[in-house]
Amino acid sequence: MYTCVKLKEKDTVATVTKAVKAGEEVRYRFNGVDYTITAKNDIPLYHKIALMDMEKGSVIYKYGCKIGYALKDIKLGEHVHTSNLDSKME
Amino acid sequence: MKFKGYRRPDGKIGIRNHVLILPCSFCASETARFTASLVNGAVYIPNQGGCALVKKDLEITLEVLSGLAANPNVYGTVVIGNNCEAVQASLLVERIKAKTNKPLESVVIRDAGGTIKAVEKAVSYAQKMVQDAGMIEKEEAHITELILATECGGSDPTSGLAANPVVGHLSDKFVSLGATSILSETSELVGTEDILAPRCINEEVANKLLKIIKDNEEHFERAGESLRFGNPTTGNKEGGLTTLEEKSLGCIHKGGESPITAVYGYGEMVKEKGLVVMDTPGQDVASIVAMVAGGAQVAVFTTGRGTPTGNGIVPVIKITGNSETAHLMADNIDFDASPVISGEKTIEELGEELFDVVMDVVKGKKSKAEALGFNDMSLARECNFC
C-alpha cells in the first residue's frame, strides 16, 4: 500500500496520504519504481515529507516548482512545514 | 483528431444545440424563465444583475451576456428586456450582433404590453428557433476548434495532489492537439507570478498576466482587504499547505505545463489557441460563466469537497481526487481521480482516461450536472449595486 505521493521528478518533498508516526515506513511509487522512506517525525495527513537531505537555504520543490526555502537543514523523512519551510529566507 | 458538432453561421462549432432565452436584467428574469419553461429545448440563464450598475459593471454585464449568446453551443437567442434597465435589450442585441450572426430576436416586456403578452411573443420566437435548430445536422469538426474551460472549487488537499494535476495533463493534451484550454481564477494566481510569467510566449503576454494579478490585489486593497493576508489560511496550514506558492501551484496545475499564449479579460471572446488565462474571480460559477462567454464549449471542474455546479449552455464535468467525495456525491461527480493518491494509477494514465470522458461529452454524452438540468449563473462585479 502506498502512503505518500510524489508529483514531479524534480520534487524534494512528497505528500503523505495517511497520518504517519515517527519511525513508520512510508511507501510511494514514482515512474513505475517503488520507494520506501522512514518518517523521522509524526506527520499529519496530507502534510509533506522530505524525500532527501536538504541544506539550509535550499529551494524546496513540489509540483516541479519552487514552493519556498529550507529555513534549516532538513533530513530525509522529516516533516516539512512552517517550522522549516517559508516563501522567503529569513 | 475529429469529432462531430453543430456548425454555426459564424463558422464556430457547437457541441450542443441550445436555444437561449436571455434576460437583460433581474426585472426580466422571471419572464424569461416562464418563456423557457414553455418551450421544449429552450434554456434560460437567470440574471440577478443588469441594472443599477456603475459603468464598469455595465460593460462586464454586456460583455458576458453577449458572449453567452455567441457561445457556439447556442443555436439562437431570444433576448428579453423589461424596458428601463441599464442593459437595454437594443444595446444587448447590438453587442450580440457584433460577436455573431446567429438567429436573434428580442422582446421588451413594456412594449409587448406586460409579461403575458411578452411571453406569448417570446415563446413563438423560441418555438420556431427550436424547430429550426432540430434541422441542423452534425458535421465533422477538428479538435483544434474546441475550447476547454478549467475550474476548481470546494478544494481540499486532494485537489492539488490528484484532480488538478490530472486536469493539467488533460489541458496539456488539448494544447498539444492544437485546441485551447483556459486557466482562470486570478486570485489563485497571486504568488505564482515568478512561475507563470516566464511561461508566457512573449513579454506582452507576460506583462498582461502580471497586470491582471496586480490589479486584482489592488482591487481588494482599495476595499481595505488583502489577498495575501492570512493566506494560506489556518485551515490550509492544518491541512498541510505551508506557503502561498504551494497553495496557488495546486490550483494552477490545472493549466498543465504548456506555454501561455494569451490573457483575456472577464468574459472576453477567446481567439488564440493553446493555454490562455482569463481574468476571473475565485467564485466558481462567476468564473465558469465568464469562460462560457469567452466561447468554451466544455468545462472541467475539480473539487475536493464536492459541488453540484452546472451550466445551462456548456456541460460541466466534475472531477475529484477525494475517494470519499466520489462515493458520497456519486450523482454529482463524473470522474474519480483518487487512484493517483492510492498509487494504483499515474497522473498520465488518469489524464488519458479523463480525456476520453471529456470527448464522450463532446460527442453528446451528458455530464451529470447537465443530465440534472443544472443551470448556475453568477456575474462578477466591480462595485456593489448603486
Side-chain angles (χ1 to χ4, degrees), chain A residues 2 4-5 7-8 15 17 29 45-48 62-63 65-68 80-82 85-87, chain B residues 157-158 160-161 165 195 237-243 245-246 249-250 253 257 340-343 347:
Chain A
Y2 302 105
C4 172
V5 177
L7 287 162
K8 294 281 168 180
T15 306
T17 53
R29 190 176 178 83
L45 175 66
Y46 296 131
H47 281 231
K48 293 176 288 299
K62 183 182 167 184
Y63 300 107
C65 296
K66 181 186 109 182
I67 58 166
V80 178
H81 201 28
T82 44
L85 161 64
D86 197 12
S87 295
Chain B
T158 65
L161 275 182
I195 297 154
K237 285 185 180 167
E238 280 169 11
L241 294 173
T242 314
T243 64
E245 290 90 327
E246 182 185 11
L249 274 166
H253 233 69
E257 294 175 354
V340 168
I341 292 177
S342 60
I347 289 165

Side-chain angles (χ1 to χ4, degrees), chain B residues 302-313:
Chain B
T302 63
T303 178
R305 301 299 300 167
T307 154
T309 297
N311 181 275
I313 297 172

